[in-house]
């Protein structure tokens, strides 16, 4: 991976990881609420997943790595679970996406360290 891809991969990977953690936390908080609060939590989680998807699309356009497409599929599946009213099932897909994002950021960081930039 070249320097530009490594910088972008590290930056996007870390940003996506943070978003995935936030979305997962919102979903976990929804377990203890009902009614309108649950609906608001579901909308919030769906919006977060949507924003994360946009960041993945941006990364995919800037760096051609199959991991971004796999991550997008994970996010699409999570969004379906949220929109179907079973947001707790989205956690599995968000966790897979988190693992992929951690992998990308780790590979990028290793590349930057090898180049003496980190």
């Amino acid at each position: 991976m070249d320097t530009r891809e490594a910088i972008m991969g590290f930056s996007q990977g870390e940003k996506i990881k943070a978003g995935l953690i936030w979305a997962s936390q919102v979903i976990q908080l929804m377990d203890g609420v009902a009614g309108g609060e649950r609906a608001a939590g579901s909308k919030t989680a769906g919006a977060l997943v949507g924003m994360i998807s946009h960041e993945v699309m941006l990364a995919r356009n800037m760096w051609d790595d199959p991991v971004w497409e796999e991550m997008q599929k994970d996010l699409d599946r999570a969004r379906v679970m949220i929109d179907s009213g079973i947001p707790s099932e989205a956690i599995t897909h968000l966790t897979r996406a988190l693992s992929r994002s951690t992998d990308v950021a780790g590979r990028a960081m290793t590349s930057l360290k090898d180049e003496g930039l980190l």
Side-chain angles (χ1 to χ4, degrees), residues 37-60:
E37 290 178 340
R38 186 169 179 84
S42 188
K43 284 186 179 190
T44 302
L48 282 170
V49 171
M51 287 186 276
I52 297 163
S53 288
H54 288 256
E55 293 298 326
V56 171
M57 282 188 268
L58 173 66
R60 197 168 80 194

Side-chain angles (χ1 to χ4, degrees), residues 19-31 37-53 75 78-83 85-91 94:
L20 290 166
I21 291 168
W22 296 339
S24 296
Q25 288 296 309
V26 168
I27 291 169
Q28 289 176 346
L29 288 171
M30 289 169 52
D31 284 341
E37 290 178 340
R38 186 169 179 84
S42 188
K43 284 186 179 190
T44 302
L48 282 170
V49 171
M51 287 186 276
I52 297 163
S53 288
L75 293 172
R79 188 69 186 262
V80 167
M81 296 298 121
I82 293 166
D83 292 346
I86 48 174
S88 60
E89 296 296 320
I91 296 291
L94 295 177

Side-chain angles (χ1 to χ4, degrees), residues 2-117:
D2 66 25
T3 302
R4 181 180 169 279
E5 290 174 337
I7 291 169
M8 194 282 308
F10 182 68
S11 173
Q12 287 299 102
E14 290 298 315
K15 188 186 328 180
I16 291 166
K17 280 173 33 180
L20 290 166
I21 291 168
W22 296 339
S24 296
Q25 288 296 309
V26 168
I27 291 169
Q28 289 176 346
L29 288 171
M30 289 169 52
D31 284 341
V33 298
E37 290 178 340
R38 186 169 179 84
S42 188
K43 284 186 179 190
T44 302
L48 282 170
V49 171
M51 287 186 276
I52 297 163
S53 288
H54 288 256
E55 293 298 326
V56 171
M57 282 188 268
L58 173 66
R60 197 168 80 194
N61 289 335
M62 296 176 71
W63 177 22
D64 187 27
D65 188 317
V67 73
W68 299 118
E69 190 165 332
E70 293 302 315
M71 202 180 303
Q72 188 65 53
K73 289 177 186 176
D74 293 331
L75 293 172
D76 291 344
R77 289 179 188 118
R79 188 69 186 262
V80 167
M81 296 298 121
I82 293 166
D83 292 346
S84 297
I86 48 174
S88 60
E89 296 296 320
I91 296 291
T92 301
H93 305 292
L94 295 177
T95 301
R96 277 193 207 113
L98 180 61
S99 177
R100 294 180 205 284
S101 183
T102 301
D103 177 57
V104 168
R107 285 189 289 132
M109 183 171 38
T110 299
S111 178
L112 292 171
K113 281 183 178 181
D114 290 347
E115 294 180 38
L117 298 173

